[in-house]
């Protein structure tokens, strides 16, 4: 029950996002360890909760599949029922398949809290659909890994807009019995005449443009790309050209992790982008694969629980965020989902005692090499004041052209 569909398939960036002031400062990813929030990004004036009150009796949760399991999918997997018993808040959980779907549902005002990926969180903030979060009201917040706090995708000018859930990197995987010599970086999937043409896979989302931009950061410094989510038109055109060149070599763009697992097992795919838990599944099938986190960095995700500005059950919403960010629930959800938990104490409670080592949960140096998914906006996330960057609507249009 992992992220079964693409993080975003088609969207026109909300007009309000482009009009919400300028953005500069820390940028959208690791790449050297910058951790500032979204610079001078001006968020709408949405009030922040000042104190906790009586529980309302229910909370309406929007979640990625695997984040809020109540035993209905697997009787042995249930951390929602203990929350309900502890708080008296009935958890009404709705799963979504893409960030766009989550955004649409949040705008209805029917949901109190959402697990937002970095390609959605700024849009929720800019549209006024997400409220700033008073972390002083959350007992579990001090235990969240410091390198996940006050980042460009979950905060604005030092104000957090949510509670980190978990994170992970996009990795390079290959069939060791077919791909020789072993690849050393992303060049293996972006070179002009790859030896494994037609056997390469890539993630099916406009956000994958950032992977090409990161490749160009490392190979064509004259383009001036400092942040793969902050591309002016010339830089976007260069990234698109790389992906159009790559397109004929792609066996299949994947969004369903089971299909990627099957493709590597059958040999229809020999090399490409993956997630750690997919690699674990393939290795469990006795398929000889290698997995690499390239030394020059990678893209990845960090998901955040955010509360709706229209929440009618804000006390139960805060109770849920505090609970799911606590060590026990965070350990269970992260292990089931397949990502590093955000709570530093969660690693002592995972079933697999090597889990956090496998997922680098406490490894800040590793985390700092990840450029986490962040919504591209017209105000350049790399701090440029003399340039206009391309937004997610333009990325979506470009992705449609790339795929043909």
């Amino acid at each position: 029950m992992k992220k079964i569909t693409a993080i975003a398939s088609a969207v026109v960036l909300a007009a309000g996002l482009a009009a919400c002031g300028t953005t500069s400062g820390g940028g959208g990813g690791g790449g050297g360890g910058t951790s500032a929030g979204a610079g001078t990004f001006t968020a709408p004036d949405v009030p922040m909760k000042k104190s906790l009150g009586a529980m309302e009796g229910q909370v309406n949760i929007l979640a990625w599949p695997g984040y809020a399991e109540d035993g209905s999918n697997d009787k042995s997997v249930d951390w929602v029922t203990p929350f309900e018993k502890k708080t008296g808040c009935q958890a009404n959980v709705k799963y979504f398949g893409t960030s766009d779907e989550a955004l649409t549902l949040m705008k209805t005002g029917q949901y109190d809290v959402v697990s937002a990926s970095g390609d959605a969180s700024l849009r929720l903030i800019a549209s006024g659909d997400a409220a700033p979060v008073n972390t002083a009201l959350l007992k579990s917040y001090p235990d969240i890994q410091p390198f996940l706090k006050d980042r460009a995708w979950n905060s604005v000018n030092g104000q957090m807009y949510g509670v980190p859930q978990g994170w992970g990197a996009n990795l390079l995987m290959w069939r060791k019995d077919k791909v020789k010599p072993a690849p050393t970086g992303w060049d293996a999937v972006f070179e002009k005449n790859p030896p494994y043409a037609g056997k390469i896979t890539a993630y099916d989302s406009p956000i994958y443009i950032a992977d090409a931009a990161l490749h160009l950061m490392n190979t064509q410094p004259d383009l001036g790309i400092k942040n793969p989510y902050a591309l002016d038109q010339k830089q976007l055109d260069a990234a698109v050209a790389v992906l159009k060149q790559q397109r004929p070599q792609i066996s299949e763009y994947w969004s369903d992790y089971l299909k990627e697992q099957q493709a590597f097992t059958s040999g229809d795919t020999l090399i490409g982008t993956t997630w750690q838990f997919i690699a674990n599944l393939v290795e469990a099938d006795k398929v000889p694969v290698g997995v690499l986190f390239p030394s020059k960095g990678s893209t990845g995700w960090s998901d955040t629980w955010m509360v709706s500005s229209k929440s009618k059950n804000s006390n139960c919403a805060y109770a849920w965020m505090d609970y799911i960010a606590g060590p026990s629930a965070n350990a269970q959800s992260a292990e089931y989902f397949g990502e590093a938990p955000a709570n530093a104490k969660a690693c002592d409670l995972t079933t697999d005692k090597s889990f956090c080592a496998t997922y680098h949960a406490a490894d800040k140096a590793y985390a700092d090499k990840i450029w986490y998914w962040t919504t591209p906006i017209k105000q350049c996330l790399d701090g440029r004041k003399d340039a206009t960057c391309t937004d997610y609507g333009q990325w979506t249009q470009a992705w449609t052209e790339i795929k043909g």
Side-chain angles (χ1 to χ4, degrees):
M1 296 299 295
K2 309 295 192 298
K3 292 181 183 175
I4 297 174
T5 54
I7 291 301
S9 55
V11 64
V12 176
L13 188 64
L17 187 56
C20 287
T22 58
T23 303
S24 62
T34 56
S35 58
T40 56
F41 178 89
T42 304
D45 187 14
V46 176
M48 181 175 68
K49 193 173 182 65
K50 300 299 182 183
S51 62
L52 296 175
M55 298 299 159
E56 299 88 356
Q58 68 172 350
V59 60
N60 299 311
I61 300 170
L62 276 175
W64 286 110
Y67 272 179
E69 291 297 307
D70 61 1
S72 58
N73 291 312
D74 183 337
K75 291 182 180 180
S76 66
V77 180
D78 181 3
W79 50 89
V80 170
T81 300
F83 162 77
E84 293 176 324
K85 291 179 178 179
K86 178 181 180 180
T87 64
C89 300
Q90 178 180 331
N92 305 312
V93 180
K94 180 177 179 59
Y95 292 134
F96 57 85
T98 69
S99 289
D100 292 346
E101 182 183 353
L103 287 163
T104 299
L105 290 169
M106 282 295 285
K107 288 183 180 298
T108 68
Q110 298 176 15
Y111 300 92
D112 301 299
V113 65
V114 61
S115 60
S117 292
D119 61 335
S121 47
L122 281 186
R123 288 186 278 166
L124 287 168
I125 296 170
S127 64
D129 291 308
V133 168
N134 188 343
T135 57
L137 301 178
L138 303 173
K139 294 179 181 179
S140 60
Y141 191 73
D143 296 327
I144 300 297
Q145 294 286 5
F147 56 78
L148 299 176
K149 298 177 179 179
D150 300 316
R151 303 304 299 264
W153 59 89
N154 61 23
S155 70
V156 176
N157 296 324
Q159 172 58 58
M160 286 293 290
Y161 274 77
V163 181
Q165 156 69 26
W167 58 279
N170 293 315
L171 305 172
L172 180 62
M173 182 163 69
W174 69 95
R175 282 282 297 260
K176 293 193 292 186
D177 57 334
K178 305 289 185 181
V179 177
K180 298 178 181 180
T184 58
W186 293 114
D187 292 2
V189 299
F190 288 122
E191 60 183 313
K192 287 187 177 181
N193 297 300
Y196 309 104
K199 298 285 187 176
I200 296 173
T201 192
Y203 191 52
D204 191 2
S205 169
I207 210 70
Y208 182 65
I209 292 172
D211 291 62
L214 180 59
H215 169 68
L216 291 173
M217 281 176 61
N218 295 322
T219 59
Q220 295 187 34
D222 55 307
L223 284 170
I225 299 174
K226 304 300 182 184
N227 180 322
Y229 305 100
L231 307 180
D232 58 34
Q233 191 61 58
K234 179 181 177 181
Q235 293 165 339
L236 176 63
D237 290 345
V240 169
V242 168
L243 293 175
K244 285 184 175 179
Q245 171 188 289
Q246 182 196 52
R247 178 67 182 95
Q249 321 305 333
I250 296 291
S251 56
E252 183 180 20
Y253 290 107
W254 67 273
S255 57
D256 183 332
Y257 75 95
L258 289 173
K259 288 186 177 180
E260 191 193 34
Q261 178 188 358
Q262 293 164 1
F264 269 97
T265 300
S266 67
D268 290 341
T269 292
L270 298 181
I271 188 170
T273 309
T274 195
W275 296 334
Q276 182 63 57
F277 80 84
I278 303 176
N280 295 346
L281 293 173
V282 176
E283 289 174 337
D285 288 339
K286 308 300 182 183
V287 179
V289 293
V291 182
L292 175 70
F293 180 85
S295 61
K296 294 184 178 180
S298 183
T299 59
W301 74 89
S302 176
D303 291 346
T304 304
W305 286 103
M306 305 178 77
V307 64
S308 169
S309 59
K310 307 179 186 70
S311 173
K312 298 179 178 62
N313 307 293
S314 61
N315 294 304
C316 280
Y318 266 69
W320 169 257
M321 290 193 297
D322 208 10
Y323 172 81
I324 197 64
S328 178
N330 196 226
Q332 293 177 71
S333 59
E335 191 168 14
Y336 183 70
F337 187 84
E339 65 181 357
N343 191 306
K345 294 181 178 179
C347 291
D348 294 331
L349 302 174
T350 56
T351 302
D352 175 3
K353 297 309 175 184
S354 64
F355 180 83
C356 283
T358 300
Y359 285 82
H360 302 270
D363 190 343
K364 181 181 182 298
Y366 181 94
D368 282 346
K369 293 180 181 179
I370 300 173
W371 289 91
Y372 299 91
W373 286 332
T374 307
T375 308
I377 59 176
K378 289 188 179 298
Q379 291 78 32
C380 296
L381 290 165
D382 59 6
R384 281 179 290 173
K385 300 293 182 70
D386 58 349
T388 298
C389 280
T390 51
D391 65 24
Y392 201 62
Q394 291 168 280
W395 283 40
T396 298
Q397 294 172 0
W399 185 244
T400 300
E401 294 175 5
I402 291 163
K403 292 185 66 177

